[in-house]
Amino acid sequence: MPRRLSYIITVCLMAFVAAGCVYDFVPDAGELQGLEKPLVVIEGDIIVGGETTVVLKSTQPVIGGVEQESISYYGTTVWVEGEDGQVYNGWRTHDSNDDSSVMTFKVNTSSLSTEGRFRLCVSVPGRGEYKSAFKAVAISPQIDSISYVMAPDRSTVEFDVSTHDDSSEPLYCKWTFVEDWESFAEITPMLRAEKGNGDVYMYELSDSDIKERTRCYSKAESKDIYIATTEALSQNVISRSKLNVVAATDRRVSSTYCITVMQTAMDKEAYGYWEGVKASISGTGGLFAPMPNEVRGNIVSTTFPEETVLGYINVSTMTMKRAIYTSMQLMMYSTVCGMASYKRLDDEGMNQWYNLYMNGLKPVEFVMDDNGNRNTDEVWWTTEACVDCRVFSNSTRPDFWPYE
């Protein structure tokens, strides 16, 4: 493969392989002329003592400016193999979507011995078998703490992780995390609007309707590469390695925020791979950063040994720690919601409510007159996101949530 093509492929595709990351980079159509078939992308680490998750993707080749079909993984089998010949079969998860070019598999690796050596195997119909190198198990130390530091102007908060190892050997760590957060509608609605016959009618919300609109939960997974090593340090301590930065206007810190951090250890080779990938995709690797086409994983095609395969399979135990913070602790969230009152008809007799409704605004409540009575011809209005948290919610209340 010419050096130029190798360089382009690796630059464009290494972004897919950060474990659990979603770097759906689409190269320019003119960049990949001549790439005749998509490449296999394999994400995931073998987690000894837990469950292994493997995600199969493929690159999107472009020929003559036209995107070609991706790999279909229908019929694919995934398994973990011990150097002693023991096989641990995987299964396709039920939450895999109908897109055959992206599939998720699970393997029960809870019974694997920390003394063994293991590899990942994948068989793709029409493409052959792919196997990672056998690797010894890297033992992940416990996470010492999750902490945060506020920007001086309280515009952002940074969440960090700390760990250490009593071993005399350098520590190489990689982290992923899951965020869960509870958020409230910033304005509690008392009304809902319905359109009919060119007009808008107001109806009072029940207590259950109000709760459904004002208390929601969301979830997100880390998408970047988070690594650190003690190789150049005098002590085997990683202190406050940065994980995540959240802005003061972000709803994640509006009420209750939870970050669950998963830590895996690596050997020097695996760390070098992720360091190279991170430098390549960030563009900040510096003058002496590895060229992207020098960043190679440990997965090969046993059917077609010359085939380029993207991904690196690490073998390690995993440790986990969770931290929960409330808005009262962080005291940084900046509200962005406001209201404005409008009568049903303006001075020229035009139906203002109808126009507001058609422009996506939502009613809050009736305006009160000087005697404390509701004026049913005048209503406070605001944006939908301010009165209905379901607009930005994507999850349900986690089982571990501290508040009912």
Side-chain angles (χ1 to χ4, degrees):
M1 179 181 294
R3 177 178 172 82
R4 171 61 178 165
L5 185 56
S6 175
Y7 178 91
I8 292 171
I9 292 171
T10 313
V11 168
C12 296
L13 309 178
M14 281 299 159
F16 282 99
V17 299
C21 300
V22 185
Y23 294 106
D24 292 329
F25 181 83
V26 180
D28 180 76
E31 290 281 81
L32 294 182
Q33 302 299 322
L35 179 58
E36 296 181 355
K37 64 178 181 178
L39 303 182
V40 170
V41 181
I42 303 177
E43 302 175 353
D45 290 331
I46 297 173
I47 304 301
V48 174
E51 188 174 67
T52 293
T53 300
V54 179
V55 180
L56 304 181
K57 300 180 180 180
S58 62
T59 62
Q60 188 71 57
V62 178
I63 302 177
V66 179
E67 290 187 355
Q68 306 301 299
E69 288 188 7
S70 299
I71 298 169
S72 172
Y73 287 110
Y74 280 130
T76 292
T77 54
V78 173
W79 67 97
V80 170
E81 183 176 284
E83 202 168 36
D84 60 0
Q86 185 71 36
V87 172
Y88 306 83
N89 291 312
W91 65 93
R92 183 184 175 188
T93 62
H94 294 298
D95 59 355
S96 292
N97 56 38
D98 292 332
D99 182 3
S100 66
S101 65
V102 180
M103 284 192 181
T104 302
F105 293 80
K106 299 281 189 180
V107 186
N108 183 357
T109 46
S110 60
S111 63
L112 270 59
S113 170
T114 56
E115 302 298 320
R117 289 168 57 86
F118 304 94
R119 68 180 177 185
L120 181 71
C121 306
V122 177
S123 178
V124 182
R127 295 291 295 239
E129 290 194 350
Y130 302 86
K131 297 183 178 182
S132 64
F134 280 112
K135 291 184 71 70
V137 182
I139 306 299
S140 176
Q142 294 298 315
I143 297 173
D144 292 331
S145 65
I146 299 170
S147 55
Y148 69 89
V149 59
M150 201 75 65
D153 61 357
R154 305 189 77 82
S155 62
T156 61
V157 59
E158 175 185 303
F159 295 95
D160 307 315
V161 62
S162 298
T163 187
H164 79 281
D165 194 358
D166 295 330
S167 169
S168 60
E169 296 298 317
L171 177 61
Y172 303 91
C173 279
K174 179 167 168 283
W175 298 277
T176 58
F177 58 83
V178 175
E179 299 171 283
D180 292 276
W181 63 96
E182 179 182 26
S183 53
F184 292 87
E186 295 182 33
I187 298 173
T188 301
M190 307 304 294
L191 300 171
R192 64 178 176 86
E194 285 189 10
K195 182 185 70 169
N197 298 322
D199 202 350
V200 170
Y201 302 92
M202 298 295 170
Y203 298 91
E204 292 189 5
L205 292 172
S206 66
D207 290 344
S208 61
D209 287 336
I210 293 173
K211 182 178 180 180
E212 185 179 57
R213 286 165 168 77
T214 57
R215 189 177 183 185
C216 298
Y217 300 89
S218 301
K219 180 185 290 288
E221 296 183 0
S222 55
K223 297 181 179 181
D224 213 334
I225 300 172
Y226 303 93
I227 56 174
T229 180
T230 63
E231 188 174 31
L233 304 179
S234 59
Q235 292 183 307
N236 231 6
V237 176
I238 297 174
S239 179
R240 307 199 72 160
S241 184
K242 184 172 77 172
L243 292 179
N244 197 25
V245 177
V246 181
T249 55
D250 196 306
R251 294 183 185 275
R252 284 178 288 180
V253 292
S254 65
S255 177
T256 304
Y257 174 80
C258 172
I259 182 169
T260 304
V261 181
M262 284 71 69
Q263 175 175 282
T264 52
M266 301 178 284
D267 58 20
K268 186 173 183 177
E269 178 187 85
Y271 182 83
Y273 169 82
W274 288 112
E275 186 178 40
V277 172
K278 186 171 185 177
S280 297
I281 64 176
S282 67
T284 58
L287 180 62
F288 299 104
M291 293 294 288
N293 61 327
E294 296 172 1
V295 181
R296 296 296 180 184
N298 65 344
I299 309 169
V300 298
S301 168
T302 58
T303 307
F304 304 102
E306 298 303 315
E307 181 181 348
T308 299
V309 187
L310 304 181
Y312 192 103
I313 306 300
N314 188 48
V315 182
S316 74
T317 60
M318 175 185 287
T319 53
M320 183 184 80
K321 197 173 186 68
R322 174 176 291 140
I324 298 177
Y325 303 96
T326 67
S327 58
M328 292 298 293
Q329 289 174 286
L330 300 176
M331 297 187 66
M332 64 177 294
Y333 182 65
S334 300
T335 182
V336 295
C337 288
M339 299 187 297
S341 63
Y342 294 90
K343 293 181 179 180
R344 180 191 295 270
L345 303 180
D346 63 16
D347 294 338
E348 298 178 357
M350 298 295 293
N351 192 323
Q352 295 188 99
W353 289 3
Y354 185 84
N355 291 332
L356 293 168
Y357 180 87
M358 294 304 293
N359 281 291
L361 295 181
K362 299 297 179 182
V364 180
E365 59 183 331
F366 292 114
V367 174
M368 308 297 285
D369 63 22
D370 294 338
N371 297 319
N373 299 314
R374 296 186 303 174
N375 180 355
T376 56
D377 285 324
E378 189 172 5
V379 164
W380 291 100
W381 290 78
T382 188
T383 59
E384 184 176 19
C386 290
V387 291
D388 195 340
C389 59
R390 295 174 301 180
V391 171
F392 43 81
S393 173
N394 65 7
S395 185
T396 56
R397 180 180 176 273
D399 295 337
F400 61 81
W401 209 247
Y403 311 112
E404 291 293 339

